[in-house]
Amino acid sequence: QQPVQSPQAVILREGEDAVINCSSSKALYSVHWYRQKHGEAPVFLMILLKGGEQKGHDKISASFNEKKQQSSLYLTASQLSYSGTYFCGTESAAGNKLTFGGGTRVLVKP
Amino acid sequence: DTAVSQTPKYLVTQMGNDKSIKCEQNLGHDTMYWYKQDSKKFLKIMFSYNNKELIINETVPNRFSPKSPDKAHLNLHINSLELGDSAVYFCASSLQGVRTEAFFGQGTRLTVV
């Protein structure tokens, strides 16, 4: 079953912060985050493995709460380049594939 | 030097035709994938191969047949194309399985008319 991402869309001013959430109904082994710009391929941001580890990529960080089967992506001091659609991909404990959420569209304005 | 390349980038064809999309990766990765992204941007796994062996085959119609001649190549052949097959198809690869970073090709936009 597909993970649920929220919000579906967010508009930010440069320098503002945002949080994108990803929830699954299944137990998770890992959560992956990708960003896709319009007309381009998804680009890897980070993987979080079971263990509640928090990772960072520039001013983008993420957390993984395996008990709640949730992950959150934090966009801090957003830049224009952060605009795009963010996808979480979840790996359930039972499988060896990624199931992607429906995406969160982020638009950062000057 | 492109890491994951797929051809063609655009494909417009009539219903009922057969077409192929080619994918090559020069990263030395063991695992390759085909994903389908529909008009609503949902990204869904179709197939996954590890060292030329099929490991994931999602509920994809039999008209779709992947072929991996070696671990650097994963091609997708589609028979009897239907309107609903219109989508962007992404090839991707990762070093070893799903728990490693995936690199995506630029996508093939397939339009069936």
mmCIF file with all atom_site columns, all heavy atoms in Angstrom, chain A residues 66-90:
data_model
loop_
_atom_site.group_PDB
_atom_site.id
_atom_site.type_symbol
_atom_site.label_atom_id
_atom_site.label_alt_id
_atom_site.label_comp_id
_atom_site.label_asym_id
_atom_site.label_entity_id
_atom_site.label_seq_id
_atom_site.pdbx_PDB_ins_code
_atom_site.Cartn_x
_atom_site.Cartn_y
_atom_site.Cartn_z
_atom_site.occupancy
_atom_site.B_iso_or_equiv
_atom_site.pdbx_formal_charge
_atom_site.auth_seq_id
_atom_site.auth_comp_id
_atom_site.auth_asym_id
_atom_site.auth_atom_id
_atom_site.pdbx_PDB_model_num
ATOM 1   N N   . GLU A 1 66 ? 10.281 4.640  13.392 1.00 0.00 ? 66 GLU A N   1
ATOM 2   C CA  . GLU A 1 66 ? 9.786  3.344  12.895 1.00 0.00 ? 66 GLU A CA  1
ATOM 3   C C   . GLU A 1 66 ? 8.593  2.834  13.693 1.00 0.00 ? 66 GLU A C   1
ATOM 4   O O   . GLU A 1 66 ? 7.756  2.111  13.159 1.00 0.00 ? 66 GLU A O   1
ATOM 5   C CB  . GLU A 1 66 ? 10.903 2.298  12.903 1.00 0.00 ? 66 GLU A CB  1
ATOM 6   C CG  . GLU A 1 66 ? 11.291 1.798  14.268 1.00 0.00 ? 66 GLU A CG  1
ATOM 7   C CD  . GLU A 1 66 ? 12.779 1.798  14.490 1.00 0.00 ? 66 GLU A CD  1
ATOM 8   O OE1 . GLU A 1 66 ? 13.443 2.728  14.028 1.00 0.00 ? 66 GLU A OE1 1
ATOM 9   O OE2 . GLU A 1 66 ? 13.256 0.872  15.151 1.00 0.00 ? 66 GLU A OE2 1
ATOM 10  N N   . LYS A 1 67 ? 8.482  3.278  14.947 1.00 0.00 ? 67 LYS A N   1
ATOM 11  C CA  . LYS A 1 67 ? 7.331  2.825  15.752 1.00 0.00 ? 67 LYS A CA  1
ATOM 12  C C   . LYS A 1 67 ? 6.045  3.412  15.191 1.00 0.00 ? 67 LYS A C   1
ATOM 13  O O   . LYS A 1 67 ? 5.005  2.752  15.163 1.00 0.00 ? 67 LYS A O   1
ATOM 14  C CB  . LYS A 1 67 ? 7.502  3.219  17.216 1.00 0.00 ? 67 LYS A CB  1
ATOM 15  C CG  . LYS A 1 67 ? 8.554  2.401  17.937 1.00 0.00 ? 67 LYS A CG  1
ATOM 16  C CD  . LYS A 1 67 ? 8.639  2.774  19.398 1.00 0.00 ? 67 LYS A CD  1
ATOM 17  C CE  . LYS A 1 67 ? 9.740  1.961  20.078 1.00 0.00 ? 67 LYS A CE  1
ATOM 18  N NZ  . LYS A 1 67 ? 9.941  2.354  21.472 1.00 0.00 ? 67 LYS A NZ  1
ATOM 19  N N   . LYS A 1 68 ? 6.129  4.649  14.783 1.00 0.00 ? 68 LYS A N   1
ATOM 20  C CA  . LYS A 1 68 ? 4.939  5.293  14.215 1.00 0.00 ? 68 LYS A CA  1
ATOM 21  C C   . LYS A 1 68 ? 4.838  5.069  12.713 1.00 0.00 ? 68 LYS A C   1
ATOM 22  O O   . LYS A 1 68 ? 3.884  5.517  12.084 1.00 0.00 ? 68 LYS A O   1
ATOM 23  C CB  . LYS A 1 68 ? 4.960  6.794  14.507 1.00 0.00 ? 68 LYS A CB  1
ATOM 24  C CG  . LYS A 1 68 ? 4.780  7.144  15.972 1.00 0.00 ? 68 LYS A CG  1
ATOM 25  C CD  . LYS A 1 68 ? 4.652  8.646  16.155 1.00 0.00 ? 68 LYS A CD  1
ATOM 26  C CE  . LYS A 1 68 ? 4.384  8.993  17.611 1.00 0.00 ? 68 LYS A CE  1
ATOM 27  N NZ  . LYS A 1 68 ? 4.271  10.463 17.816 1.00 0.00 ? 68 LYS A NZ  1
ATOM 28  N N   . GLN A 1 69 ? 5.843  4.409  12.145 1.00 0.00 ? 69 GLN A N   1
ATOM 29  C CA  . GLN A 1 69 ? 5.871  4.156  10.690 1.00 0.00 ? 69 GLN A CA  1
ATOM 30  C C   . GLN A 1 69 ? 5.764  5.473  9.922  1.00 0.00 ? 69 GLN A C   1
ATOM 31  O O   . GLN A 1 69 ? 4.997  5.592  8.959  1.00 0.00 ? 69 GLN A O   1
ATOM 32  C CB  . GLN A 1 69 ? 4.735  3.199  10.304 1.00 0.00 ? 69 GLN A CB  1
ATOM 33  C CG  . GLN A 1 69 ? 4.944  1.811  10.891 1.00 0.00 ? 69 GLN A CG  1
ATOM 34  C CD  . GLN A 1 69 ? 3.645  1.066  11.115 1.00 0.00 ? 69 GLN A CD  1
ATOM 35  O OE1 . GLN A 1 69 ? 3.571  0.177  11.953 1.00 0.00 ? 69 GLN A OE1 1
ATOM 36  N NE2 . GLN A 1 69 ? 2.625  1.381  10.362 1.00 0.00 ? 69 GLN A NE2 1
ATOM 37  N N   . GLN A 1 70 ? 6.538  6.446  10.372 1.00 0.00 ? 70 GLN A N   1
ATOM 38  C CA  . GLN A 1 70 ? 6.477  7.777  9.776  1.00 0.00 ? 70 GLN A CA  1
ATOM 39  C C   . GLN A 1 70 ? 7.881  8.328  9.538  1.00 0.00 ? 70 GLN A C   1
ATOM 40  O O   . GLN A 1 70 ? 8.815  8.012  10.273 1.00 0.00 ? 70 GLN A O   1
ATOM 41  C CB  . GLN A 1 70 ? 5.776  8.755  10.725 1.00 0.00 ? 70 GLN A CB  1
ATOM 42  C CG  . GLN A 1 70 ? 4.293  8.546  10.892 1.00 0.00 ? 70 GLN A CG  1
ATOM 43  C CD  . GLN A 1 70 ? 3.702  9.486  11.921 1.00 0.00 ? 70 GLN A CD  1
ATOM 44  O OE1 . GLN A 1 70 ? 4.427  10.165 12.646 1.00 0.00 ? 70 GLN A OE1 1
ATOM 45  N NE2 . GLN A 1 70 ? 2.385  9.517  11.993 1.00 0.00 ? 70 GLN A NE2 1
ATOM 46  N N   . SER A 1 71 ? 7.961  9.171  8.537  1.00 0.00 ? 71 SER A N   1
ATOM 47  C CA  . SER A 1 71 ? 9.185  9.925  8.322  1.00 0.00 ? 71 SER A CA  1
ATOM 48  C C   . SER A 1 71 ? 8.804  11.367 8.022  1.00 0.00 ? 71 SER A C   1
ATOM 49  O O   . SER A 1 71 ? 7.738  11.632 7.474  1.00 0.00 ? 71 SER A O   1
ATOM 50  C CB  . SER A 1 71 ? 9.981  9.336  7.155  1.00 0.00 ? 71 SER A CB  1
ATOM 51  O OG  . SER A 1 71 ? 11.132 10.107 6.896  1.00 0.00 ? 71 SER A OG  1
ATOM 52  N N   . SER A 1 72 ? 9.701  12.274 8.387  1.00 0.00 ? 72 SER A N   1
ATOM 53  C CA  . SER A 1 72 ? 9.479  13.678 8.080  1.00 0.00 ? 72 SER A CA  1
ATOM 54  C C   . SER A 1 72 ? 10.714 14.252 7.411  1.00 0.00 ? 72 SER A C   1
ATOM 55  O O   . SER A 1 72 ? 11.846 13.907 7.776  1.00 0.00 ? 72 SER A O   1
ATOM 56  C CB  . SER A 1 72 ? 9.184  14.477 9.353  1.00 0.00 ? 72 SER A CB  1
ATOM 57  O OG  . SER A 1 72 ? 7.970  14.051 9.933  1.00 0.00 ? 72 SER A OG  1
ATOM 58  N N   . LEU A 1 73 ? 10.486 15.088 6.429  1.00 0.00 ? 73 LEU A N   1
ATOM 59  C CA  . LEU A 1 73 ? 11.571 15.776 5.718  1.00 0.00 ? 73 LEU A CA  1
ATOM 60  C C   . LEU A 1 73 ? 11.491 17.248 6.087  1.00 0.00 ? 73 LEU A C   1
ATOM 61  O O   . LEU A 1 73 ? 10.423 17.858 5.993  1.00 0.00 ? 73 LEU A O   1
ATOM 62  C CB  . LEU A 1 73 ? 11.425 15.580 4.211  1.00 0.00 ? 73 LEU A CB  1
ATOM 63  C CG  . LEU A 1 73 ? 12.558 16.108 3.346  1.00 0.00 ? 73 LEU A CG  1
ATOM 64  C CD1 . LEU A 1 73 ? 13.778 15.183 3.464  1.00 0.00 ? 73 LEU A CD1 1
ATOM 65  C CD2 . LEU A 1 73 ? 12.130 16.215 1.891  1.00 0.00 ? 73 LEU A CD2 1
ATOM 66  N N   . TYR A 1 74 ? 12.621 17.802 6.519  1.00 0.00 ? 74 TYR A N   1
ATOM 67  C CA  . TYR A 1 74 ? 12.659 19.189 6.969  1.00 0.00 ? 74 TYR A CA  1
ATOM 68  C C   . TYR A 1 74 ? 13.444 20.033 5.960  1.00 0.00 ? 74 TYR A C   1
ATOM 69  O O   . TYR A 1 74 ? 14.620 19.768 5.700  1.00 0.00 ? 74 TYR A O   1
ATOM 70  C CB  . TYR A 1 74 ? 13.338 19.274 8.345  1.00 0.00 ? 74 TYR A CB  1
ATOM 71  C CG  . TYR A 1 74 ? 12.706 18.365 9.377  1.00 0.00 ? 74 TYR A CG  1
ATOM 72  C CD1 . TYR A 1 74 ? 13.212 17.090 9.603  1.00 0.00 ? 74 TYR A CD1 1
ATOM 73  C CD2 . TYR A 1 74 ? 11.600 18.786 10.119 1.00 0.00 ? 74 TYR A CD2 1
ATOM 74  C CE1 . TYR A 1 74 ? 12.634 16.236 10.540 1.00 0.00 ? 74 TYR A CE1 1
ATOM 75  C CE2 . TYR A 1 74 ? 11.015 17.940 11.056 1.00 0.00 ? 74 TYR A CE2 1
ATOM 76  C CZ  . TYR A 1 74 ? 11.534 16.674 11.262 1.00 0.00 ? 74 TYR A CZ  1
ATOM 77  O OH  . TYR A 1 74 ? 10.951 15.831 12.183 1.00 0.00 ? 74 TYR A OH  1
ATOM 78  N N   . LEU A 1 75 ? 12.775 21.038 5.435  1.00 0.00 ? 75 LEU A N   1
ATOM 79  C CA  . LEU A 1 75 ? 13.435 21.991 4.546  1.00 0.00 ? 75 LEU A CA  1
ATOM 80  C C   . LEU A 1 75 ? 13.695 23.247 5.385  1.00 0.00 ? 75 LEU A C   1
ATOM 81  O O   . LEU A 1 75 ? 12.753 23.922 5.804  1.00 0.00 ? 75 LEU A O   1
ATOM 82  C CB  . LEU A 1 75 ? 12.551 22.329 3.347  1.00 0.00 ? 75 LEU A CB  1
ATOM 83  C CG  . LEU A 1 75 ? 12.021 21.155 2.521  1.00 0.00 ? 75 LEU A CG  1
ATOM 84  C CD1 . LEU A 1 75 ? 11.178 21.664 1.350  1.00 0.00 ? 75 LEU A CD1 1
ATOM 85  C CD2 . LEU A 1 75 ? 13.144 20.281 2.022  1.00 0.00 ? 75 LEU A CD2 1
ATOM 86  N N   . THR A 1 76 ? 14.951 23.539 5.615  1.00 0.00 ? 76 THR A N   1
ATOM 87  C CA  . THR A 1 76 ? 15.323 24.644 6.487  1.00 0.00 ? 76 THR A CA  1
ATOM 88  C C   . THR A 1 76 ? 15.900 25.782 5.658  1.00 0.00 ? 76 THR A C   1
ATOM 89  O O   . THR A 1 76 ? 16.732 25.554 4.780  1.00 0.00 ? 76 THR A O   1
ATOM 90  C CB  . THR A 1 76 ? 16.374 24.176 7.508  1.00 0.00 ? 76 THR A CB  1
ATOM 91  O OG1 . THR A 1 76 ? 15.870 23.035 8.212  1.00 0.00 ? 76 THR A OG1 1
ATOM 92  C CG2 . THR A 1 76 ? 16.701 25.278 8.499  1.00 0.00 ? 76 THR A CG2 1
ATOM 93  N N   . ALA A 1 77 ? 15.457 26.997 5.959  1.00 0.00 ? 77 ALA A N   1
ATOM 94  C CA  . ALA A 1 77 ? 15.957 28.184 5.242  1.00 0.00 ? 77 ALA A CA  1
ATOM 95  C C   . ALA A 1 77 ? 15.923 27.923 3.737  1.00 0.00 ? 77 ALA A C   1
ATOM 96  O O   . ALA A 1 77 ? 16.949 27.961 3.055  1.00 0.00 ? 77 ALA A O   1
ATOM 97  C CB  . ALA A 1 77 ? 17.373 28.528 5.710  1.00 0.00 ? 77 ALA A CB  1
ATOM 98  N N   . SER A 1 78 ? 14.728 27.670 3.240  1.00 0.00 ? 78 SER A N   1
ATOM 99  C CA  . SER A 1 78 ? 14.567 27.192 1.862  1.00 0.00 ? 78 SER A CA  1
ATOM 100 C C   . SER A 1 78 ? 15.193 28.132 0.839  1.00 0.00 ? 78 SER A C   1
ATOM 101 O O   . SER A 1 78 ? 15.233 29.354 1.013  1.00 0.00 ? 78 SER A O   1
ATOM 102 C CB  . SER A 1 78 ? 13.091 26.979 1.559  1.00 0.00 ? 78 SER A CB  1
ATOM 103 O OG  . SER A 1 78 ? 12.376 28.163 1.759  1.00 0.00 ? 78 SER A OG  1
ATOM 104 N N   . GLN A 1 79 ? 15.673 27.511 -0.214 1.00 0.00 ? 79 GLN A N   1
ATOM 105 C CA  . GLN A 1 79 ? 16.278 28.232 -1.330 1.00 0.00 ? 79 GLN A CA  1
ATOM 106 C C   . GLN A 1 79 ? 15.415 27.998 -2.565 1.00 0.00 ? 79 GLN A C   1
ATOM 107 O O   . GLN A 1 79 ? 14.645 27.042 -2.614 1.00 0.00 ? 79 GLN A O   1
ATOM 108 C CB  . GLN A 1 79 ? 17.694 27.688 -1.570 1.00 0.00 ? 79 GLN A CB  1
ATOM 109 C CG  . GLN A 1 79 ? 18.587 27.743 -0.348 1.00 0.00 ? 79 GLN A CG  1
ATOM 110 C CD  . GLN A 1 79 ? 19.861 26.941 -0.521 1.00 0.00 ? 79 GLN A CD  1
ATOM 111 O OE1 . GLN A 1 79 ? 20.247 26.590 -1.642 1.00 0.00 ? 79 GLN A OE1 1
ATOM 112 N NE2 . GLN A 1 79 ? 20.531 26.636 0.577  1.00 0.00 ? 79 GLN A NE2 1
ATOM 113 N N   . LEU A 1 80 ? 15.581 28.848 -3.550 1.00 0.00 ? 80 LEU A N   1
ATOM 114 C CA  . LEU A 1 80 ? 14.807 28.700 -4.788 1.00 0.00 ? 80 LEU A CA  1
ATOM 115 C C   . LEU A 1 80 ? 15.005 27.313 -5.397 1.00 0.00 ? 80 LEU A C   1
ATOM 116 O O   . LEU A 1 80 ? 14.079 26.730 -5.974 1.00 0.00 ? 80 LEU A O   1
ATOM 117 C CB  . LEU A 1 80 ? 15.197 29.782 -5.797 1.00 0.00 ? 80 LEU A CB  1
ATOM 118 C CG  . LEU A 1 80 ? 14.898 31.232 -5.398 1.00 0.00 ? 80 LEU A CG  1
ATOM 119 C CD1 . LEU A 1 80 ? 15.441 32.190 -6.454 1.00 0.00 ? 80 LEU A CD1 1
ATOM 120 C CD2 . LEU A 1 80 ? 13.408 31.445 -5.196 1.00 0.00 ? 80 LEU A CD2 1
ATOM 121 N N   . SER A 1 81 ? 16.214 26.798 -5.245 1.00 0.00 ? 81 SER A N   1
ATOM 122 C CA  . SER A 1 81 ? 16.539 25.490 -5.834 1.00 0.00 ? 81 SER A CA  1
ATOM 123 C C   . SER A 1 81 ? 15.804 24.334 -5.162 1.00 0.00 ? 81 SER A C   1
ATOM 124 O O   . SER A 1 81 ? 15.822 23.208 -5.661 1.00 0.00 ? 81 SER A O   1
ATOM 125 C CB  . SER A 1 81 ? 18.045 25.237 -5.747 1.00 0.00 ? 81 SER A CB  1
ATOM 126 O OG  . SER A 1 81 ? 18.450 25.205 -4.388 1.00 0.00 ? 81 SER A OG  1
ATOM 127 N N   . TYR A 1 82 ? 15.156 24.587 -4.039 1.00 0.00 ? 82 TYR A N   1
ATOM 128 C CA  . TYR A 1 82 ? 14.418 23.520 -3.355 1.00 0.00 ? 82 TYR A CA  1
ATOM 129 C C   . TYR A 1 82 ? 13.064 23.236 -4.024 1.00 0.00 ? 82 TYR A C   1
ATOM 130 O O   . TYR A 1 82 ? 12.411 22.253 -3.690 1.00 0.00 ? 82 TYR A O   1
ATOM 131 C CB  . TYR A 1 82 ? 14.158 23.880 -1.893 1.00 0.00 ? 82 TYR A CB  1
ATOM 132 C CG  . TYR A 1 82 ? 15.367 23.819 -0.986 1.00 0.00 ? 82 TYR A CG  1
ATOM 133 C CD1 . TYR A 1 82 ? 16.628 23.539 -1.487 1.00 0.00 ? 82 TYR A CD1 1
ATOM 134 C CD2 . TYR A 1 82 ? 15.249 24.060 0.376  1.00 0.00 ? 82 TYR A CD2 1
ATOM 135 C CE1 . TYR A 1 82 ? 17.733 23.500 -0.660 1.00 0.00 ? 82 TYR A CE1 1
ATOM 136 C CE2 . TYR A 1 82 ? 16.349 24.023 1.225  1.00 0.00 ? 82 TYR A CE2 1
ATOM 137 C CZ  . TYR A 1 82 ? 17.587 23.746 0.702  1.00 0.00 ? 82 TYR A CZ  1
ATOM 138 O OH  . TYR A 1 82 ? 18.674 23.706 1.538  1.00 0.00 ? 82 TYR A OH  1
ATOM 139 N N   . SER A 1 83 ? 12.661 24.080 -4.933 1.00 0.00 ? 83 SER A N   1
ATOM 140 C CA  . SER A 1 83 ? 11.379 23.860 -5.606 1.00 0.00 ? 83 SER A CA  1
ATOM 141 C C   . SER A 1 83 ? 11.393 22.538 -6.357 1.00 0.00 ? 83 SER A C   1
ATOM 142 O O   . SER A 1 83 ? 12.398 22.154 -6.951 1.00 0.00 ? 83 SER A O   1
ATOM 143 C CB  . SER A 1 83 ? 11.103 24.993 -6.596 1.00 0.00 ? 83 SER A CB  1
ATOM 144 O OG  . SER A 1 83 ? 10.883 26.209 -5.910 1.00 0.00 ? 83 SER A OG  1
ATOM 145 N N   . GLY A 1 84 ? 10.288 21.839 -6.314 1.00 0.00 ? 84 GLY A N   1
ATOM 146 C CA  . GLY A 1 84 ? 10.170 20.557 -6.989 1.00 0.00 ? 84 GLY A CA  1
ATOM 147 C C   . GLY A 1 84 ? 9.153  19.698 -6.259 1.00 0.00 ? 84 GLY A C   1
ATOM 148 O O   . GLY A 1 84 ? 8.498  20.157 -5.324 1.00 0.00 ? 84 GLY A O   1
ATOM 149 N N   . THR A 1 85 ? 9.033  18.476 -6.694 1.00 0.00 ? 85 THR A N   1
ATOM 150 C CA  . THR A 1 85 ? 8.135  17.539 -6.031 1.00 0.00 ? 85 THR A CA  1
ATOM 151 C C   . THR A 1 85 ? 8.970  16.554 -5.224 1.00 0.00 ? 85 THR A C   1
ATOM 152 O O   . THR A 1 85 ? 9.899  15.949 -5.757 1.00 0.00 ? 85 THR A O   1
ATOM 153 C CB  . THR A 1 85 ? 7.261  16.787 -7.049 1.00 0.00 ? 85 THR A CB  1
ATOM 154 O OG1 . THR A 1 85 ? 6.507  17.728 -7.800 1.00 0.00 ? 85 THR A OG1 1
ATOM 155 C CG2 . THR A 1 85 ? 6.306  15.836 -6.347 1.00 0.00 ? 85 THR A CG2 1
ATOM 156 N N   . TYR A 1 86 ? 8.633  16.412 -3.977 1.00 0.00 ? 86 TYR A N   1
ATOM 157 C CA  . TYR A 1 86 ? 9.356  15.523 -3.074 1.00 0.00 ? 86 TYR A CA  1
ATOM 158 C C   . TYR A 1 86 ? 8.570  14.234 -2.897 1.00 0.00 ? 86 TYR A C   1
ATOM 159 O O   . TYR A 1 86 ? 7.375  14.250 -2.597 1.00 0.00 ? 86 TYR A O   1
ATOM 160 C CB  . TYR A 1 86 ? 9.580  16.203 -1.723 1.00 0.00 ? 86 TYR A CB  1
ATOM 161 C CG  . TYR A 1 86 ? 10.578 17.329 -1.800 1.00 0.00 ? 86 TYR A CG  1
ATOM 162 C CD1 . TYR A 1 86 ? 10.225 18.559 -2.344 1.00 0.00 ? 86 TYR A CD1 1
ATOM 163 C CD2 . TYR A 1 86 ? 11.889 17.158 -1.361 1.00 0.00 ? 86 TYR A CD2 1
ATOM 164 C CE1 . TYR A 1 86 ? 11.148 19.588 -2.441 1.00 0.00 ? 86 TYR A CE1 1
ATOM 165 C CE2 . TYR A 1 86 ? 12.823 18.190 -1.444 1.00 0.00 ? 86 TYR A CE2 1
ATOM 166 C CZ  . TYR A 1 86 ? 12.431 19.394 -1.996 1.00 0.00 ? 86 TYR A CZ  1
ATOM 167 O OH  . TYR A 1 86 ? 13.362 20.407 -2.091 1.00 0.00 ? 86 TYR A OH  1
ATOM 168 N N   . PHE A 1 87 ? 9.266  13.129 -3.084 1.00 0.00 ? 87 PHE A N   1
ATOM 169 C CA  . PHE A 1 87 ? 8.647  11.813 -2.931 1.00 0.00 ? 87 PHE A CA  1
ATOM 170 C C   . PHE A 1 87 ? 9.319  11.044 -1.799 1.00 0.00 ? 87 PHE A C   1
ATOM 171 O O   . PHE A 1 87 ? 10.555 11.033 -1.715 1.00 0.00 ? 87 PHE A O   1
ATOM 172 C CB  . PHE A 1 87 ? 8.805  10.977 -4.207 1.00 0.00 ? 87 PHE A CB  1
ATOM 173 C CG  . PHE A 1 87 ? 8.020  11.474 -5.378 1.00 0.00 ? 87 PHE A CG  1
ATOM 174 C CD1 . PHE A 1 87 ? 8.621  12.288 -6.330 1.00 0.00 ? 87 PHE A CD1 1
ATOM 175 C CD2 . PHE A 1 87 ? 6.685  11.119 -5.549 1.00 0.00 ? 87 PHE A CD2 1
ATOM 176 C CE1 . PHE A 1 87 ? 7.906  12.744 -7.431 1.00 0.00 ? 87 PHE A CE1 1
ATOM 177 C CE2 . PHE A 1 87 ? 5.964  11.572 -6.647 1.00 0.00 ? 87 PHE A CE2 1
ATOM 178 C CZ  . PHE A 1 87 ? 6.578  12.388 -7.587 1.00 0.00 ? 87 PHE A CZ  1
ATOM 179 N N   . CYS A 1 88 ? 8.500  10.440 -0.971 1.00 0.00 ? 88 CYS A N   1
ATOM 180 C CA  . CYS A 1 88 ? 9.081  9.470  -0.054 1.00 0.00 ? 88 CYS A CA  1
ATOM 181 C C   . CYS A 1 88 ? 8.840  8.084  -0.647 1.00 0.00 ? 88 CYS A C   1
ATOM 182 O O   . CYS A 1 88 ? 7.823  7.833  -1.294 1.00 0.00 ? 88 CYS A O   1
ATOM 183 C CB  . CYS A 1 88 ? 8.476  9.557  1.352  1.00 0.00 ? 88 CYS A CB  1
ATOM 184 S SG  . CYS A 1 88 ? 6.751  9.038  1.509  1.00 0.00 ? 88 CYS A SG  1
ATOM 185 N N   . GLY A 1 89 ? 9.793  7.216  -0.463 1.00 0.00 ? 89 GLY A N   1
ATOM 186 C CA  . GLY A 1 89 ? 9.669  5.824  -0.887 1.00 0.00 ? 89 GLY A CA  1
ATOM 187 C C   . GLY A 1 89 ? 9.886  4.959  0.338  1.00 0.00 ? 89 GLY A C   1
ATOM 188 O O   . GLY A 1 89 ? 10.850 5.157  1.074  1.00 0.00 ? 89 GLY A O   1
ATOM 189 N N   . THR A 1 90 ? 8.992  4.029  0.569  1.00 0.00 ? 90 THR A N   1
ATOM 190 C CA  . THR A 1 90 ? 9.104  3.199  1.762  1.00 0.00 ? 90 THR A CA  1
ATOM 191 C C   . THR A 1 90 ? 9.400  1.756  1.387  1.00 0.00 ? 90 THR A C   1
ATOM 192 O O   . THR A 1 90 ? 8.907  1.227  0.383  1.00 0.00 ? 90 THR A O   1
ATOM 193 C CB  . THR A 1 90 ? 7.819  3.253  2.598  1.00 0.00 ? 90 THR A CB  1
ATOM 194 O OG1 . THR A 1 90 ? 6.701  2.883  1.773  1.00 0.00 ? 90 THR A OG1 1
ATOM 195 C CG2 . THR A 1 90 ? 7.596  4.645  3.150  1.00 0.00 ? 90 THR A CG2 1
#
